[in-house]
Amino acid sequence: MNYDILLAFSVATFVLSLSPGPDNIFVLIQSISNGKKQGLAVVAGLMSGCLVHTTLLAFGVSAVIKDNPTIFTGIKVFGAAYLLYLAIMVYRGGDAIAIEGESKNKKSLYALYKQGFIMNVFNPKVIIFFLAFFPGFLFSDSLSTVLQFYTLGFLFILVSSVVFSGIAILSGQISNFLKTKNRTGFILKWIQIVVFIGIAVYLFFG
């Protein structure tokens, strides 16, 4: 095993996780709106989706999806439609979002976990990313490719979980400060709507 390659993969993953993108922006907004526990539930959902993508990559399914325009477009359409549905639900949910501790109808941990999971699994950009990123970091001439992909997948999940969980925890603390601001709930509602629509457009047209 080439441990230098694994170290390089870990560093690259850390940098990529810190870079602004749909996933960490999603974690940021949900954590501010709902609190750090709910943000961590979103992180768990996203990382579970990464495990699905690792499995698809390890057994060659990702390559089949990428090369089949009908399947690939179907995944894009479903993912974008789901995010637009979430945007509509937020819009119809009231004039403002009540911040952590103020709402009787605060989303459950499972609901946020499910949102993160579906958002990740039906993001074709993740399929392309895994296909492009992982094969360049295969680290052994003797271990099976499947085992190497799973090793890289779990390493990716571990590093990304640390970064995303840090974002969720810090954002949860910020929400305590925002409770004192009068129009925070209204602003957060429209930020969530814009984020959902923006990610949907990114998935479909990006």
Side-chain angles (χ1 to χ4, degrees):
M1 291 176 60
N2 191 324
Y3 292 100
D4 289 339
I5 293 178
L6 290 175
L7 177 60
F9 178 83
S10 300
V11 172
T13 298
F14 179 78
V15 173
L16 288 168
S17 298
L18 284 176
S19 303
D23 287 353
N24 48 26
I25 290 175
F26 184 67
V27 171
L28 175 69
I29 297 302
Q30 293 302 317
S31 300
I32 291 175
S33 301
N34 297 286
K36 61 184 178 182
K37 288 183 180 179
Q38 283 70 21
L40 291 172
V42 172
V43 173
L46 291 169
M47 295 304 105
S48 297
C50 287
L51 182 58
V52 172
H53 285 294
T54 299
T55 300
L56 296 177
L57 175 64
F59 292 98
V61 179
S62 292
V64 174
I65 293 173
K66 176 179 177 293
D67 293 335
N68 189 311
T70 301
I71 297 176
F72 191 76
T73 301
I75 291 174
K76 287 205 302 183
V77 169
F78 182 88
Y82 178 71
L83 288 164
L84 292 176
Y85 164 79
L86 294 180
I88 292 171
M89 291 299 101
V90 173
Y91 175 77
R92 296 176 61 184
D95 295 332
I97 290 176
I99 304 178
E100 176 186 12
E102 299 177 0
S103 175
K104 295 179 180 179
N105 299 315
K106 186 166 62 175
K107 293 178 182 176
S108 69
L109 296 178
Y110 175 71
L112 288 165
Y113 170 87
K114 184 173 67 174
Q115 282 187 14
F117 178 77
I118 294 175
M119 176 181 164
N120 185 277
V121 169
F122 287 95
N123 182 352
K125 307 294 182 184
V126 180
I127 295 174
I128 299 298
F129 171 75
F130 273 47
L131 276 170
F133 186 56
F134 279 42
F137 290 93
L138 293 176
F139 54 87
S140 175
D141 294 328
S142 57
L143 295 176
S144 71
T145 302
V146 170
L147 180 58
Q148 291 185 70
F149 278 139
Y150 270 110
T151 301
L152 293 173
F154 281 115
L155 192 56
F156 181 89
I157 290 170
L158 174 63
V159 174
S160 299
S161 293
V162 171
V163 174
F164 282 25
S165 295
I167 293 173
I169 291 170
L170 291 175
S171 301
Q173 297 302 318
I174 293 172
S175 71
N176 293 326
F177 169 75
L178 293 177
K179 287 179 187 178
T180 63
K181 307 302 177 182
N182 291 332
R183 291 182 60 82
T184 296
F186 176 81
I187 293 171
L188 283 177
K189 171 180 177 174
W190 284 99
I191 288 177
Q192 279 207 45
I193 291 171
V194 170
V195 167
F196 282 137
I197 294 175
I199 296 174
V201 171
Y202 170 79
L203 290 185
F204 192 77
F205 295 105

